Amino acid sequence: MEQIRVTSLGWILVLMVLVGCQSIEELFQAGEYEKAFNAADRRLGQKPQEEKTLVLLEQSLEALITAQQEQFATLSGESEPAQWEKALDAVASMDKYLTKARAHLPDVYLEEQAQWWKDALALEEELYYHYLALGKNQLKQSLAEDNPRVGQNAYFNLRRVIRYQKDHFEEVDSLQNYLSEAQQAGTIYYKVAINGGFNIGLRMKVEQAFMDLNRKGGLFIDVEEVFIATGGDCAIDINFGEFEANSRESSSKKDFEERLIIDYLVQTDTSGNEFEEPVYADVTGTVETVTSTKIGSWEVRVDVRRSTANCHIFSERYREEVTSTIEYYRLSGDERAIPDRFKRNSFKEEHTSDEDLAEEALDNLVQSIYRGYFNG
């Protein structure tokens, strides 16, 4: 009996091996080479040196490498640099497959990899000099035309150069200088004046809200807060109107009725015994539910004057409303008829103060203005 169990277990293990290999082979035969490759890699992690799985891994790898080599050859022969960059992606894919495969097949594609690294280096060199020439020409054009948009394009193309630089390439040491010049050529200058308006007690909060304005420019915007907005490419006045707070109420009424004992009458029964008989009455109370809403509103006008043709932003108005809402009850009539839950909330809470509402509105306004003009 014991021998039968051992024999059965052995056949089960053999069957599992055959099923595992069969599913990998089915993936391979179906042309799902990457899935077959990954499945074989996982299985070899559990069953190292399993011969049939090693064969499937190598066959899948060959199919994947062949496809990527063909893609590299096609894309590197195109005229557009964007296609060359995709060709380098094919090299990265081949390297990724080999890194995984060499855990099981240490010596595969050694010569071939050396060759495609050599081809990739030559392509990187072409990309380096292409983007270097493009970036330098755009920088020269930007400076000649005082055109920041072209300077920005120069900057991004010179950033691409860094991706492909090698120590032995020409002008490597000059790249950072070119980048700095391109960033400066691509910069648009904002002169910004803040007017807190006639808001007693709030002007200082407005000034504090814009304390970090000079650091909000981003890569190609230079922001300077000034007393009077003039000069630069864009002169911007941020004018705060007067903060206003108003309240309104709405209400609804509900009547409650309750039958209560209001007295007792002394009665005598037929045996001469006295007893008290309750006297009932219907009483009515009214609950008025009052919803009080306090609305704080603040408007800001952003006026833009274009000092040069490089200013491409527009004037805008911003309005922010914030609210404070409270609910309470007014009781009338006979309160004995009114449920206790209304009696507990019959006092009126205080609304949020005007100052706190103004601070909330100010925070929202500043965020909107930053998003609209100063890259968040």
Side-chain angles (χ1 to χ4, degrees), residues 62 82 86 92-93 122 124 190 254 266 293 316-317 355 360:
E62 182 180 357
K86 291 180 181 178
S93 294
E124 287 178 343
Y190 291 178
K254 185 175 182 179
V266 178
T293 303
E316 185 63 84
R317 287 178 181 269
E355 182 177 0
E360 183 181 349

Side-chain angles (χ1 to χ4, degrees), residues 32-258:
E32 298 281 358
Y33 302 125
E34 186 155 10
K35 289 182 180 179
F37 176 79
N38 289 330
D41 174 61
R42 288 194 298 272
R43 181 162 183 78
L44 288 168
Q46 301 168 348
K47 301 282 185 180
Q49 301 304 312
E50 187 175 66
E51 186 175 350
K52 186 166 185 178
T53 306
L54 282 170
V55 170
L56 287 169
L57 179 79
E58 189 168 8
Q59 289 174 336
S60 301
L61 176 64
E62 182 180 357
L64 291 170
I65 294 295
T66 298
Q68 294 298 325
Q69 285 178 322
E70 291 174 354
Q71 188 173 11
F72 178 84
T74 299
L75 294 172
S76 61
E78 297 286 342
S79 59
E80 291 295 322
Q83 301 302 314
W84 305 346
E85 292 179 316
K86 291 180 181 178
L88 292 177
D89 291 339
V91 172
S93 294
M94 290 189 287
D95 286 342
K96 180 188 72 174
Y97 295 136
L98 281 190
T99 298
K100 186 177 288 189
R102 283 179 178 157
H104 317 290
L105 302 167
D107 300 325
V108 291
Y109 287 95
L110 291 175
E111 294 182 5
E112 292 87 347
Q113 187 178 43
Q115 182 59 51
W116 73 55
W117 280 354
K118 183 178 178 181
D119 295 339
L121 181 61
L123 197 55
E124 287 178 343
E125 186 171 358
E126 287 191 54
L127 283 164
Y128 175 88
Y129 286 112
H130 168 79
Y131 285 122
L132 179 63
L134 180 59
K136 287 172 63 178
N137 288 337
Q138 288 173 331
L139 175 57
K140 184 178 179 180
Q141 179 187 350
S142 173
L143 294 172
E145 299 175 359
D146 187 23
N147 189 332
R149 293 295 175 90
V150 177
Q152 293 169 17
N153 290 336
Y155 178 86
F156 289 120
N157 282 317
L158 290 167
R159 289 288 300 176
R160 289 189 177 95
V161 174
I162 292 178
R163 190 186 311 168
Y164 304 113
Q165 68 180 354
K166 297 291 184 293
D167 290 342
H168 64 279
F169 290 171
E170 296 175 5
E171 297 193 82
V172 167
D173 296 337
S174 304
L175 279 180
Q176 290 302 325
N177 290 334
Y178 290 145
L179 275 172
S180 297
E181 290 179 33
Q183 182 180 357
Q184 187 172 357
T187 297
I188 298 171
Y189 295 88
Y190 291 178
K191 304 294 184 181
V192 185
I194 311 293
N195 178 8
F198 297 101
N199 294 285
I200 298 174
L202 295 176
R203 288 179 61 90
M204 184 172 292
K205 293 186 181 298
V206 172
E207 293 174 4
Q208 290 174 344
F210 287 96
M211 280 184 64
D212 62 345
L213 180 61
N214 291 348
R215 298 192 296 273
K216 284 291 182 179
L219 184 60
F220 295 116
I221 297 176
D222 183 282
V223 182
E224 181 184 0
E225 185 177 352
V226 294
F227 185 71
I228 298 176
T230 183
D233 295 301
C234 304
I236 305 171
D237 283 297
I238 300 177
N239 298 301
F240 279 76
E242 186 174 353
F243 176 79
E244 297 178 349
N246 298 289
S247 297
R248 62 168 181 246
E249 288 187 350
S250 61
S251 64
S252 61
K253 292 184 178 181
K254 185 175 182 179
D255 294 326
F256 294 89
E257 190 174 286
E258 188 75 24

Side-chain angles (χ1 to χ4, degrees), residues 343-360:
K343 298 174 187 176
R344 287 193 293 267
N345 291 320
S346 60
F347 61 92
K348 184 177 180 181
E349 297 178 1
E350 292 294 326
H351 271 295
T352 303
S353 69
D354 287 4
E355 182 177 0
D356 288 342
L357 285 176
E359 286 189 20
E360 183 181 349

Side-chain angles (χ1 to χ4, degrees), residues 273-284:
N273 299 316
E274 292 185 347
F275 65 93
E276 292 183 338
E277 182 176 330
V279 178
Y280 292 90
D282 293 326
V283 296
T284 302

